[in-house]
Amino acid sequence: MKRHVFYLKNGYFLLTAFFLLALVFAARLPVSASGETELLAETDIFESQNAIDEALQQEAAVGYSFEEPLVVLNPYGNSPLTAVVIFSTDEEMGGTITVKGNSEENDIQGTFEAATDHIVPVYGLYNGAVTEVELTLEDGTANTLEITCEGVDLSDLTIEAEMLDSSSYDYSCLTFISTNEGLILGIDAAGDVRWYFEPGTMSILRELENGHLMCPSSYTIRGGYHKSGLIEFDFSGKIYAEYAIPGGMHHEFQELSDGNLLVATSSPDLESFEDYVVEIDRETGDVVWELDLKDLFEDLTDGASATMISDGSSDTDWFHNNSFVYDEENGLLLLSGRHKDAIIAVDTLDSSLVWILGDPEGWETVDESCFFTPEGDDFEWFYGQHQVTMLDNGDIMLFDNGSGKVKYDDNDNRVTGDDVYSRAVIYHIDTESMTVEQVYEYGKERGAEWYSDWISGVFSLDGTKDLLWVTAGSNLYNPEEDSHDYGPSYMFTSGLISTTHIDQLTNGELTYELTISADSYISETYRSARISLYRENANLDVTLAPVLLGNLGETATAEPETEISFESAQTLPDGWSFSLDAVKLTVNGTFTTETSSDDLPDGHLILKSEGETLAYSLTQTATENDDGTSVAVKGWVSPVGLEDAVWEIYLLLDGVTYQSGYSVEF
């Protein structure tokens, strides 16, 4: 058995790295001796990837033999359990690849296209171990490689798999999880990590019709999971497109039948959150349809859930749309409002409210004809739910987190302690009689040990209730209190054990369970998916240049509470960074002040041009310590509406105006 593992020529990557560092350095030059500002140069966010693509093509032209190929580990630097194998054949020839598992059922198999110069992607290497990879050409010639992967440190996670009945389990797919730490892991049936991606994001991962993957982009525009948009990429980690979206992206998106993207976003001015949906043109990135949920309700406080209290949410997050499903046949968009304990149906033709599925308590200004009347003895409403989906027969399925099990005004009577539980639940609705029947549930019998107050989800593997995949992603346990009754405000609390349960249910019976645990939030799982690493006609394409589409819209201005004083502006201390790309100007830095965090005035980024001054809010995270208050600052401004002018950049921090030393032209 031969072992041939090589790396791309170091000189090429060193040259690329030097070039990129030079760009970063150029963007951080101090104020010149004359006092003039330095004009920020626009950074190409795909510069590094384009250089890698070019280097791979150059290596493919070298003519490595099939018997002694070039193996490049983690080619794009973000997917360390992958590689590419580069070789040439005299004739155009395709073949197969088998990435050997620790047992035969966990082998990962794929094909590669006919060509003379081959760049064959390898997916499914074992983390920190040696993996056998077998390549077989169409003429029967075979070569087995041993690829050693250093991998990543996942020692803080405990992953256990239990196969109770393998007859309905699909070994060709991995279980993909999206953790609250921003990791995406692909896990095989035995519980071994076979794929890893760390884009610095969290929440949803979906497979697209073209075999690519899509997830939120890495740049955060607000909070922990409100991202600037979406990225389309493959299992090698190569990005093919990035979409910037006004209001950003959170929680959910769906690929429509025409290829366009339906995306959960926030109000474009970011004055309210998680209450907007837009359709994005896949080819241009333009918004071609939008829905403002605020237009549907007379009183936004109607039907408020007690989860708003336990989530620690403000009134600006009044709906908390955490998922949706588009019923294309009926032209209905079903949205899951956690902070309403409700699924609402919207007619996409006229953006009107059609019906509301959920506890009708507390809805004062919505006509009662919009609500369903429960039927059956075992019926329960859902509370704080996630991931609404539809089965093939039209039944509605969701993950009932069971948060509180009461409405906002009845929070004193919320379910607590050992009585908490979560469920996967299915409802059958009749829109003519406006009745609802509960036809399935799972999880209540698992009790508090399976309780997941937030995130989590359920979907069908075959379109019916007979084969379900359930993620209970946020169980927190306090050993000292012997309690599992904890919501999202406790997710970063030390001393709690976090556990995710991922279950396959076959005809109502548990047939497989994957358990992921840690003594911190890193095992909390937003959702899981079942995806095959290799798919026909979904090959790595090193010739295709990535594209950046769309924009973040026009950034809302703000009114500073303290006066801007350009005449007495101070020089900004070292340690601040400013950068410009095609969709945003960003700033990051820290400062220390004697002002307490409660009294700290809002920070602002100030743009000054001839005759015009604009202020934009900055995000400040303050931490008090013995030396004062340490404040981490970040912010961004979209170029939309600011074109064709040169703007000097100032900061207003703790009531003091600072000259950054930079200017920008959009």
Side-chain angles (χ1 to χ4, degrees):
M1 182 179 296
K2 295 184 179 180
R3 180 181 178 185
H4 301 285
V5 181
F6 302 92
Y7 299 85
L8 282 179
K9 296 177 180 177
N10 291 334
Y12 190 95
F13 279 107
L14 286 174
L15 180 62
T16 302
F18 180 82
F19 174 72
L20 292 173
L21 286 172
L23 284 178
V24 174
F25 181 76
R28 299 184 179 183
L29 288 173
V31 184
S32 65
S34 64
E36 296 180 354
T37 58
E38 296 287 345
L39 190 66
L40 284 175
E42 184 176 310
T43 300
D44 180 358
I45 64 172
F46 298 123
E47 181 74 34
S48 176
Q49 179 174 287
N50 290 336
I52 293 169
D53 279 343
E54 182 180 346
L56 290 172
Q57 292 177 70
Q58 290 177 358
E59 294 293 353
V62 169
Y64 296 98
S65 69
F66 178 70
E67 292 74 23
E68 294 190 4
L70 174 69
V71 178
V72 183
L73 290 166
N74 191 14
Y76 293 97
N78 54 14
S79 186
L81 306 187
T82 68
V84 292
V85 179
I86 300 175
F87 61 90
S88 297
T89 52
D90 294 334
E91 300 178 0
E92 281 200 356
M93 196 174 300
T96 62
I97 179 171
T98 300
V99 183
K100 295 289 188 177
N102 288 338
S103 58
E104 185 176 354
E105 62 266 22
N106 287 302
D107 287 354
I108 295 171
Q109 298 177 323
T111 61
F112 53 91
E113 294 179 334
T116 54
D117 295 330
H118 300 265
I119 303 176
V120 179
V122 181
Y123 308 137
L125 299 175
Y126 279 96
N127 189 36
V130 178
T131 306
E132 288 189 8
V133 178
E134 182 179 281
L135 298 170
T136 304
L137 298 175
E138 291 174 356
D139 64 4
T141 306
N143 187 15
T144 299
L145 310 174
E146 289 185 343
I147 300 180
T148 302
C149 182
E150 294 182 1
V152 291
D153 184 8
L154 297 174
S155 60
D156 290 337
L157 286 177
T158 299
I159 303 176
E160 299 176 323
E162 183 178 13
M163 184 68 70
L164 301 172
D165 181 356
S166 64
S167 60
S168 60
Y169 187 88
D170 184 358
Y171 285 94
S172 69
C173 292
L174 297 187
T175 299
F176 286 81
I177 68 168
S178 302
T179 76
N180 275 352
E181 191 185 25
L183 306 179
I184 302 177
L185 304 179
I187 304 171
D188 69 13
D192 290 317
V193 176
R194 306 288 296 276
W195 191 78
Y196 176 100
F197 187 65
E198 187 176 15
T201 186
M202 62 185 71
S203 75
I204 189 170
L205 172 76
R206 285 194 186 278
E207 183 180 26
L208 303 175
E209 280 298 315
N210 62 9
H212 290 164
L213 303 172
M214 183 167 277
C215 76
S217 54
S218 61
Y219 188 77
T220 303
I221 65 171
R222 175 190 178 272
Y225 57 82
H226 291 80
K227 302 299 182 177
S228 60
L230 293 161
I231 58 171
E232 178 180 342
F233 62 107
D234 65 20
F235 284 110
S236 295
K238 172 171 175 169
I239 296 173
Y240 293 87
E242 179 167 341
Y243 295 86
I245 301 170
M249 181 272 163
H250 64 86
H251 281 103
E252 182 69 278
F253 70 90
Q254 182 177 331
E255 183 181 22
L256 302 177
S257 59
D258 63 1
N260 282 359
L261 302 169
L262 203 60
V263 185
T265 181
S266 294
S267 174
D269 59 10
L270 296 181
E271 291 297 317
S272 61
F273 300 98
E274 303 182 30
D275 57 1
Y276 235 79
V277 179
V278 296
E279 181 183 346
I280 300 296
D281 186 292
R282 187 72 168 274
E283 301 301 322
T284 66
D286 295 336
V287 175
V288 295
W289 180 83
E290 58 187 331
L291 172 67
D292 185 350
L293 295 178
K294 293 188 293 295
D295 294 338
L296 302 179
F297 302 102
E298 180 180 336
D299 186 346
L300 301 186
T301 65
D302 269 8
S305 169
T307 59
M308 291 192 71
I309 298 173
S310 53
D311 288 358
S313 300
S314 65
D315 291 340
T316 56
D317 188 11
W318 61 277
F319 189 81
H320 198 90
N321 174 32
N322 59 35
S323 69
F324 57 69
V325 61
Y326 180 46
D327 177 6
E328 193 164 359
E329 180 179 349
N330 296 302
L332 294 182
L333 181 62
L334 278 57
L335 303 105
S336 168
R338 172 173 167 89
H339 289 167
K340 298 297 183 188
D341 303 319
I343 306 300
I344 70 167
V346 176
D347 188 324
T348 56
L349 288 180
D350 60 7
S351 298
S352 63
L353 178 66
V354 179
W355 49 253
I356 298 176
L357 178 65
D359 186 348
E361 182 71 27
W363 292 89
E364 303 295 337
T365 63
V366 176
D367 192 283
E368 61 182 15
S369 64
C370 290
F371 295 90
F372 292 86
T373 300
E375 291 186 339
D377 296 332
D378 298 325
F379 186 90
E380 288 184 44
W381 285 121
F382 51 89
Y383 297 89
Q385 77 289 340
H386 279 79
Q387 197 176 12
V388 60
T389 62
M390 290 185 67
L391 300 180
D392 290 347
N393 65 0
D395 285 351
I396 296 171
M397 182 167 63
L398 55 87
F399 188 92
D400 173 17
N401 294 86
S403 308
K405 297 189 182 299
V406 293
K407 289 294 190 175
Y408 188 95
D409 291 337
D410 198 24
N411 185 62
D412 290 342
N413 294 316
R414 66 185 297 131
V415 173
T416 60
D418 293 339
D419 295 327
V420 297
Y421 59 87
S422 300
R423 305 179 298 157
V425 60
I426 300 174
Y427 296 99
H428 176 75
I429 63 170
D430 185 329
T431 55
E432 292 187 2
S433 64
M434 290 302 290
T435 57
V436 56
E437 180 184 3
Q438 179 179 302
V439 297
Y440 180 91
E441 71 172 2
Y442 169 83
K444 183 176 181 178
E445 69 278 15
R446 301 287 298 266
E449 293 184 359
W450 201 79
Y451 175 64
S452 292
D453 187 281
W454 78 106
I455 53 180
S456 311
V458 56
F459 64 93
S460 174
L461 293 168
D462 66 353
T464 77
K465 64 180 177 62
D466 298 331
L467 195 59
L468 302 182
W469 192 264
V470 188
T471 304
S474 61
N475 183 270
L476 297 180
Y477 176 63
N478 186 335
E480 294 184 0
E481 302 291 335
D482 190 25
S483 174
H484 294 269
D485 183 13
Y486 295 94
S489 59
Y490 292 91
M491 64 181 294
F492 300 116
T493 303
S494 60
L496 300 183
I497 299 172
S498 173
T499 301
T500 287
H501 297 92
I502 300 175
D503 297 345
Q504 178 173 305
L505 305 172
T506 308
N507 297 318
E509 297 296 326
L510 179 65
T511 54
Y512 176 79
E513 183 164 64
L514 189 65
T515 305
I516 307 166
S517 59
D519 59 2
S520 71
Y521 70 98
I522 65 172
S523 64
E524 294 165 5
T525 302
Y526 175 66
R527 286 189 198 169
S528 63
R530 296 282 290 161
I531 304 174
S532 174
L533 283 173
Y534 286 98
R535 178 172 161 179
E536 190 175 356
N537 300 322
N539 298 293
L540 167 66
D541 189 344
V542 299
T543 67
L544 193 61
V547 292
L548 183 60
L549 300 170
N551 61 69
L552 293 175
E554 189 169 343
T555 309
T557 57
E559 293 291 336
E561 54 199 71
T562 53
E563 183 180 355
I564 304 170
S565 178
F566 295 117
E567 295 77 11
S568 59
Q570 300 182 23
T571 300
L572 190 66
D574 294 337
W576 288 78
S577 66
F578 296 81
S579 62
L580 173 67
D581 59 45
V583 297
K584 62 190 178 303
L585 163 70
T586 59
V587 56
N588 288 277
T590 60
F591 69 92
T592 301
T593 177
E594 295 182 359
T595 305
S596 69
S597 57
D598 291 338
D599 296 330
L600 186 69
D602 293 337
H604 294 86
L605 185 149
I606 312 296
L607 296 182
K608 183 178 184 296
S609 187
E610 292 185 7
E612 189 170 16
T613 298
L614 301 173
Y616 301 91
S617 296
L618 293 170
T619 299
Q620 298 184 136
T621 304
T623 304
E624 294 187 14
N625 50 55
D626 294 339
D627 297 325
T629 303
S630 177
V631 186
V633 182
K634 67 173 295 185
W636 59 274
V637 175
S638 166
V640 176
L642 301 174
E643 299 87 352
D644 303 323
V646 177
W647 302 87
E648 293 185 8
I649 304 173
Y650 292 80
L651 295 181
L652 184 61
L653 304 170
D654 197 19
V656 179
T657 305
Y658 292 92
Q659 162 64 268
S660 72
Y662 306 100
S663 57
V664 62
E665 183 175 13
F666 297 111

